[in-house]
Amino acid sequence: MTAPSGVAQGAGNVAPAGQAERSPFARTTELLASYQPAKPLITLSLGEPQHPVPDFVGPVLASHIAEFGRYPLARGIEPFRRAAASWLSTRFHLPRAIDPEREILVLNGSREGLFFAAISAARYAGARKGKPAILMPNPFYPAYGAGARAAGCEQIYLPTTLANGFLPDLDTLDDATLARTVAIFIASPANPQGSVASRDYFLRLKKLADRFGFMILSDECYSEIYTRDAPGSALECAGPDFTNVVAFQSLSKRSNLPGMRVGFAAGDARFLDQFHELRNVAAPQVPVPLQHVAVAAYSDEAHVEENRRLYRIKFDLADQILGNRYGYRRPAGGFCVWLDVSSRGGDEAATVKLYRDAGVRVIPGSYLARPQDDGSNPGAGYIRLALVSDGESTAEALHRLVETLD
């Protein structure tokens, strides 16, 4: 369980200012700016769900429209907290029921929660043995890096590759690194590869968090998008008090509501108390009518199953059209496809070719990751596709991709 140095094997040091926070979508726009697509554009670069908004959204908003005239409480309205806690206890095999009074906080989408949680974790952990560090998978969601930088912590990137099942390899972490760690971000299902952490993986991570006193910040916003087995939660392995574990959820993917910006954090009550104090003075609050929509969303599974059915159809298409090309594997969770185009000129070249010649917009994998100390980039040579469009558009895009890259 040890490495010969004080950082994770292959881990990176602090990235150049601004690099860890820069939007991969802005970089992709710059890459493609001088080209025009030869065919009508199909966008697979942005993970923005395109399935229908649930029918109940409009009526619930209309019935609570007057509550836009109220300042929302940072902790969230009681009906929301009860609905979120009830959904967690029904969906996952938790050690005990979540307490809606102390173990749930509403969020303005999971992104701002993940960002502010890094700052809270640095304060919560107290003095470390060396420069405080936050660990994160590489590739990673940019909010992780932005939060770590805002917290004044070193960002340590843990490469997630085919060789380690696209999850951070816990065996590469040495005691010196863990002793100065204030938090680790873990995404399951992972973005972009769709890998899912097992119960054993979460248990191993929990033991490390308890031994060294750092927080597990578990990004689970894709947990409801799967085509076979339902992913688990870090909370299932967190013990009776959920100590050192907080899970983050969102309605963006689960309920096709990316523009509504409602999610929650759940877990360690002591950490959430401090998290609440920071968010109460610094974070955007969630409008009360939107919380009522969320109550309806977390009380209904029919629209979620329909959502999964539509994604299942598109992954069936990907299975048929892509086959075993580009290292394609049907992901265990999420709606992204992670394709190896290293033999097609690399990720930037393939992105340009697909946009210019096929009218298919994807995102280079290297833009979703950062270089390790040895100069390697775990996302280099890959492209990410988000299967968020309708089935017909998805099939057309996949056919164009194969015709263009083969």
Side-chain angles (χ1 to χ4, degrees):
M1 188 74 193
T2 59
S5 67
V7 296
Q9 292 176 343
N13 293 322
V14 178
Q19 180 70 354
E21 297 88 354
R22 190 142 190 267
S23 166
F25 305 106
R27 294 178 67 189
T28 302
T29 297
E30 292 172 1
L31 175 69
L32 301 177
S34 60
Y35 303 98
Q36 290 296 321
K39 298 181 179 180
L41 185 63
I42 302 176
T43 297
L44 302 181
S45 55
L46 184 63
E48 181 181 62
Q50 300 295 306
H51 296 167
V53 170
D55 292 340
F56 55 74
V57 172
V60 173
L61 275 178
S63 65
H64 292 278
I65 200 77
E67 293 181 86
F68 276 116
R70 294 171 51 194
Y71 282 121
L73 295 175
R75 190 169 289 277
I77 61 174
E78 183 186 4
F80 172 85
R81 287 182 279 113
R82 281 193 280 105
S86 176
W87 176 77
L88 279 174
S89 296
T90 301
R91 168 65 175 83
F92 299 106
H93 301 289
L94 302 183
R96 62 164 172 79
I98 291 281
D99 179 359
E101 295 302 315
R102 295 199 61 212
E103 294 173 340
I104 292 281
L105 280 180
V106 71
L107 300 175
N108 203 294
S110 60
R111 179 168 66 174
E112 65 92 354
L114 292 162
F115 173 83
F116 282 106
I119 300 172
S120 294
R123 297 178 177 181
Y124 183 74
R128 300 280 96 176
K129 296 179 180 179
K131 182 175 176 59
I134 292 181
L135 315 183
M136 63 196 73
N138 193 23
F140 63 96
Y141 187 42
Y144 307 165
R149 183 171 294 281
C153 294
E154 179 177 348
Q155 301 155 62
I156 294 184
Y157 306 129
L158 308 178
T160 55
T161 64
L162 179 62
N164 57 27
F166 296 116
L167 289 169
D169 187 348
L170 303 181
D171 290 330
T172 64
L173 301 174
D174 64 19
D175 288 1
T177 298
L178 293 168
R180 61 191 182 92
T181 296
V182 302
I184 180 171
F185 283 107
I186 184 73
S188 178
N191 175 10
Q193 308 100 330
S195 49
V196 169
S198 66
R199 178 176 178 82
D200 179 66
Y201 187 95
F202 279 133
L203 285 170
R204 291 176 62 208
L205 188 55
K206 163 68 171 169
K207 288 180 180 178
L208 292 176
D210 289 348
R211 178 184 169 197
F212 291 95
F214 62 80
M215 290 299 303
I216 298 170
L217 305 178
S218 186
D219 182 355
E220 301 176 7
C221 72
Y222 287 95
S223 71
E224 304 314 288
I225 309 300
Y226 56 89
T227 60
R228 291 172 182 159
D229 299 325
S233 169
L235 293 173
E236 294 177 315
C237 306
D241 294 323
F242 307 107
T243 305
N244 295 328
V245 180
V246 173
F248 296 80
Q249 281 283 349
S250 169
L251 291 177
S252 296
K253 277 67 177 180
R254 177 188 182 273
S255 298
N256 303 312
L257 292 169
M260 201 173 83
R261 312 312 305 143
V262 179
F264 66 82
D268 187 324
R270 291 180 62 242
F271 176 81
L272 289 180
D273 281 345
Q274 283 201 20
F275 190 32
H276 171 246
E277 290 299 324
L278 174 62
R279 294 193 70 263
N280 204 25
V281 297
Q285 306 310 323
V286 183
V288 174
L290 302 189
Q291 294 187 55
H292 283 291
V293 173
V295 171
Y298 282 120
S299 302
D300 177 74
E301 290 297 319
H303 75 286
V304 185
E305 178 50 43
E306 172 63 11
N307 201 27
R308 280 194 290 270
R309 186 187 71 82
L310 295 174
Y311 283 118
R312 193 177 302 120
I313 290 171
K314 288 183 283 188
F315 277 106
D316 288 344
L317 289 169
D319 291 350
Q320 296 164 21
I321 297 168
L322 296 177
N324 61 0
R325 294 178 176 89
Y326 327 117
Y328 168 73
R329 296 183 180 186
R330 188 177 183 127
F335 51 52
C336 293
V337 170
W338 190 235
L339 300 182
D340 184 350
V341 293
S342 54
S343 64
R344 271 75 172 179
D347 54 330
E348 288 185 318
T351 297
V352 169
K353 185 175 180 62
L354 286 170
Y355 181 77
R356 182 191 62 207
D357 300 345
V360 176
R361 185 177 178 125
V362 300
I363 195 161
S366 60
Y367 291 8
L368 299 169
R370 297 295 178 265
Q372 301 290 150
D373 273 352
D374 62 3
S376 66
N377 183 315
Y382 288 88
I383 54 173
R384 191 194 77 172
L385 287 61
L387 303 190
V388 292
S389 298
D390 61 83
E392 183 178 353
S393 298
T394 298
E396 173 66 18
L398 294 174
H399 279 301
R400 289 189 202 173
L401 183 148
V402 171
E403 292 167 2
T404 303
L405 294 183
D406 270 13

